[in-house]
Amino acid sequence: MNGSWRMEQGGSLLTVGEMTRADALAVEAGVPSLRLMEAAGFAVARAIRHRWSPRRVTVLCGPGNNGGDGFVIARLLRAAGWPVTVRLLGAREHLTEDAAVNAARWHGPVAPLDLSALHGADLFVDALFGAGLSRPVDGVAGSVLDALSAHPERPVVAVDVPSGLDGDTGRIRGTAARAALTVTFFRPKPGHVLGHGPRVCGDLVVTDIGIPPTVLDMIGPAAALNGPALWSLPRPGPGDHKYTRGHAVVFGGPVMTGAGRLAARAARRLGAGLLTVAAAPEALPLYAQDAPGVLCRALQTPENVGALLDDARLNALLIGPGAGRGPHTAARVLSVLERGRPTVLDADALTSFADDPGALYDAITGPAVMTPHDGEFRALFPDLADEDTHTGDRLARVRMAARRAGAVVLLKGPRTLIAAPDGQVIVNANAPATLATAGSGDVLAGAILGLLAQGLPARAAAAAASWLHGAGARLGPPGLLAEDLPEAMARAAAEGTGEGAAGTAV
């Protein structure tokens, strides 16, 4: 990684339109567009030279600015002693502006793009199409990309995005050749981390090309990659006591008690000062035996909920894990939401409203975080759901869901999305596959609860918990179980992952 932007810390994701504006604002600020193209080509050539020893390279150039970058890369690699061939889609005389200038600076031969381009090279540079491609890749370009895909032993370096990858959604438009390395500029795009992006981009390098970071203030990006730059974890001070660190409540299920117990443990490990499990009397012994530091309250009817919450010190609530789907849970959710306190709605608290989602939306009057997986999202937002998470615009769907519900919506998956009602979306990309284990979602819900209890706003609590969920899983033991996660997440937090991070708070 080059430049000051570090993916592991998080930060802005720029849509194709926002990146176009960033380029334009840089030019307005006095950075010539030709200098930006030269810097982009230099960054790709440097990344290639850093990763590979000199070898035969074929640069595939397209008819636009992406192709102009390709001509810069070819010139710089050739000047460094690499044998370089250029193949161009379209006629050289049809190139315009900066692409035409850099094509003229290339003094080697330019051959037309066809399938013969695959012969006589050990490395390919994909500079055909940029992130803003608006139609499927077909014709000779599609044939060449398909042929490259059939020979993965010959590495491909993608300029900005692999050709055919939609920079906003991660969809494949027609076809795309999987890259070993993708070099993009200034800030990554949503398509790099969503949909098919992680599969076809290979290793992603984000590099500085001279765009002033101040342009972000004028753009106001609507999406970000999750990381500690976006939030700060609460840290107890010398004057704190258990009540100042918050009193969280988990509404435990009557039968599937493990879900509530996992959530309770996570909330406490993430710093909640006190935690009460409220559950049916017959289930209380299981909760009481689980951990001596957990308080237990018998709960049977919605009226009992009101009596419990008369204590204003109970400042953050979680309902849903193991609750059981049906009208009883729905009634309890409505009673919980009446108080307008920060609330996490998970699992059965969501699906119990599948027949009347509007009743749930209408009841949300305070800070709330909804944590559906794709099936639960489909139950609440059937018109926004998509059977294939690799197609469509998942960012747009979760953004619309959050606006409709008036809540933060955390849509779980390999790339968890956290959307707020104001349209801001955070993409969490650090989750390993080991999180695909029973109970891990309950731990996540409890972690959000623990951070809400300590005063974090709903979006920040959801983002921080999601990131620590992934970071903790990476620290966890082989054969990771949900039971391992609370301690591993606490370790990730204690190791400074969220302490002292610079940036704008969520």
Side-chain angles (χ1 to χ4, degrees), residues 33 72 121 140 154 235 294 296 298 352 355 376 434 449 475 480:
S33 60
V72 176
V140 65
R154 291 185 283 190
R235 303 291 180 185
V294 171
C296 294
S352 292
D355 295 332
E376 293 159 349
T434 52
L449 172 70
L475 292 174
L480 183 77

Side-chain angles (χ1 to χ4, degrees), residues 382-465:
D383 59 314
L384 301 180
D386 195 320
E387 292 293 334
D388 184 352
T389 59
H390 291 306
T391 63
D393 191 340
R394 203 161 181 252
L395 274 183
R397 295 199 304 273
V398 73
R399 186 177 279 128
M400 287 187 283
R403 285 173 175 159
R404 183 181 300 176
V408 171
V409 175
L410 184 152
L411 177 56
K412 292 181 282 195
R415 294 292 186 266
T416 290
L417 304 183
I418 302 135
D422 64 2
Q424 293 290 316
V425 182
I426 296 170
V427 181
N428 192 77
N430 75 337
T434 52
L435 280 174
T437 184
S440 65
D442 303 313
V443 172
L444 175 61
I448 299 169
L449 172 70
L451 295 175
L452 287 174
Q454 295 168 84
L456 259 65
R459 178 170 55 187

Side-chain angles (χ1 to χ4, degrees), residues 84-264:
V84 180
T85 300
V86 172
R87 295 292 191 124
L88 177 63
L89 178 64
R92 190 168 182 168
E93 58 268 22
H94 292 164
L95 297 172
T96 61
E97 299 178 339
D98 294 343
V101 171
N102 277 302
R105 291 175 174 175
W106 166 252
H107 299 305
V110 177
L113 182 71
D114 57 35
L115 286 173
S116 68
L118 275 69
H119 305 304
D122 306 303
L123 178 71
F124 294 86
V125 176
D126 173 9
L128 288 171
F129 304 111
L133 184 69
S134 59
R135 60 179 179 80
V137 177
D138 55 14
V140 65
S143 298
V144 169
L145 293 177
D146 285 338
L148 282 174
S149 296
H151 294 280
E153 72 279 2
R154 291 185 283 190
V156 175
V157 177
V159 179
D160 190 22
V161 296
S163 293
L165 180 71
D166 187 304
D168 286 342
T169 66
R171 285 180 288 182
I172 299 295
R173 293 187 174 273
T175 189
R178 183 172 182 173
L181 174 68
T182 296
V183 182
T184 194
F185 317 112
F186 185 50
R187 296 294 185 272
K189 298 173 180 64
H192 287 127
V193 294
L194 293 176
H196 293 284
R199 178 179 66 83
V200 300
C201 286
D203 294 335
L204 180 64
V205 169
V206 184
T207 191
D208 176 20
I209 58 171
I211 297 174
T214 53
V215 305
L216 293 173
D217 296 331
M218 293 177 269
I219 293 171
L225 184 66
N226 199 12
L230 303 184
W231 35 263
S232 294
L233 294 177
R235 303 291 180 185
D240 279 323
H241 51 80
K242 59 187 178 184
Y243 285 107
T244 61
R245 298 184 69 188
H247 190 156
V249 179
V250 172
F251 290 89
V255 177
M256 297 181 64
T257 62
R261 289 150 61 194
L262 285 168

Side-chain angles (χ1 to χ4, degrees), residues 42 59 74 189 274 347 472 487 502:
F42 177 83
V59 181
K189 298 173 180 64
L274 295 100
E487 284 70 27

Side-chain angles (χ1 to χ4, degrees), residues 322-333:
R325 178 179 175 178
H328 178 78
T329 294
R332 181 163 290 176
V333 168

